[in-house]
């Protein structure tokens, strides 16, 4: 197993952006079917399961747009 060993450093600083959980995002996207207007969601991971569900919603007549980590689903 690979690892990163840091030696002789007084302190570490920085930020890391963490994307949302796939298993929490999928039910939220599926819930968009019940909405009467567009639904905006952010911090979604760009994984195949989410892309597949958005394609399924598109085939059912919804408009789905994926921008970076944001999704807009319009079911009107």
């Amino acid at each position: 197993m690979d690892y990163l060993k840091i030696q002789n450093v007084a302190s570490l600083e920085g930020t890391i952006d963490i994307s949302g959980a796939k298993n929490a995002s999928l039910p939220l996207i599926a819930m968009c079917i019940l909405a009467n207007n567009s639904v905006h969601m952010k911090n979604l991971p760009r994984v195949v399961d989410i892309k597949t569900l958005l394609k399924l919603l598109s085939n059912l007549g919804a408009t789905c747009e994926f921008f970076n980590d944001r999704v807009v689903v319009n079911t009107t």
Side-chain angles (χ1 to χ4, degrees):
M1 183 157 108
D2 295 333
Y3 67 94
L4 179 63
K5 185 175 181 181
I6 301 172
Q7 298 177 348
N8 302 327
V9 176
S11 66
L12 296 175
E13 266 183 55
T15 60
I16 297 175
D17 293 328
I18 300 173
S19 66
K22 174 197 70 143
N23 290 335
S25 301
L26 290 173
L28 292 175
I29 296 171
M31 170 263 336
C32 293
I33 296 172
L34 302 174
N36 292 330
N37 52 8
S38 64
V39 178
H40 299 257
M41 294 174 274
K42 64 180 183 175
N43 198 24
L44 297 179
R46 189 175 283 270
V47 295
V48 173
D49 291 351
I50 289 181
K51 291 179 183 179
T52 302
L53 183 56
L54 291 175
K55 188 172 183 179
L56 175 66
L57 288 178
S58 295
N59 289 340
L60 292 173
T63 304
C64 304
E65 299 174 5
F66 209 132
F67 304 105
N68 297 330
D69 67 339
R70 298 175 186 264
V71 170
V72 177
V73 178
N74 189 349
T75 58
T76 56

